[in-house]
Amino acid sequence: QVQLVESGGGLVQPGGSLTLSCAASGRLFSINAMGWYRQAPGKQRELVATIGSGGSTNYADFVKGRFTISRDNAKNTVALQMNSLLLEDTAVYYCNAGILASGTGWKNYWGQGTQVTVSA
């Protein structure tokens, strides 16, 4: 059974930094695009950043220049380095990946989410 497990969330002051990590585990054969989404209270889940299997990246306008997404294909992990955090970055951050796994074919998987709170 494939799982995505996030870590690295927490409380940080405005202007601070955090790094989120996500690891895929289970009987998987291949991972396509990986990404991070977030959902703030009362709002819809929104795209933060994605990275393809070859390393191509895509960022939401509101994080360009502040966040960096990266992945380690050998370890099946994806990370999100978040700098210059703003109050409005407060949200639950979710890891997402398209994974080819044993017995299921290609499926879209989500992590359980990790809370990021930016507060003075």
Side-chain angles (χ1 to χ4, degrees):
Q1 186 174 356
V2 173
Q3 284 187 314
L4 294 177
V5 178
E6 300 114 333
S7 61
L11 175 64
V12 64
Q13 292 185 336
S17 299
L18 276 178
T19 300
L20 306 181
S21 298
C22 173
S25 63
R27 296 174 61 84
L28 62 93
F29 299 127
S30 183
I31 302 177
N32 194 359
M34 304 184 82
W36 290 93
Y37 292 71
R38 71 185 188 186
Q39 188 167 17
K43 294 187 177 182
Q44 289 190 330
R45 191 173 297 189
E46 60 184 357
L47 170 72
V48 175
T50 61
I51 183 166
S53 57
S56 60
T57 58
N58 178 53
Y59 293 94
D61 286 343
F62 53 77
V63 301
K64 283 181 179 177
R66 299 190 298 124
F67 292 8
T68 302
I69 189 170
S70 60
R71 66 188 284 171
D72 185 330
N73 290 332
K75 296 181 179 179
N76 295 329
T77 59
V78 62
L80 186 69
Q81 173 67 44
M82 304 185 294
N83 299 325
S84 303
L85 283 161
L86 306 171
L87 295 174
E88 50 263 44
D89 292 320
T90 295
V92 177
Y93 284 71
Y94 295 92
C95 176
N96 174 268
I99 297 175
L100 176 64
S102 174
T104 62
W106 285 101
K107 277 185 63 177
N108 194 36
Y109 290 85
W110 292 92
Q112 80 285 358
T114 185
Q115 177 69 47
V116 172
T117 302
V118 184
S119 175

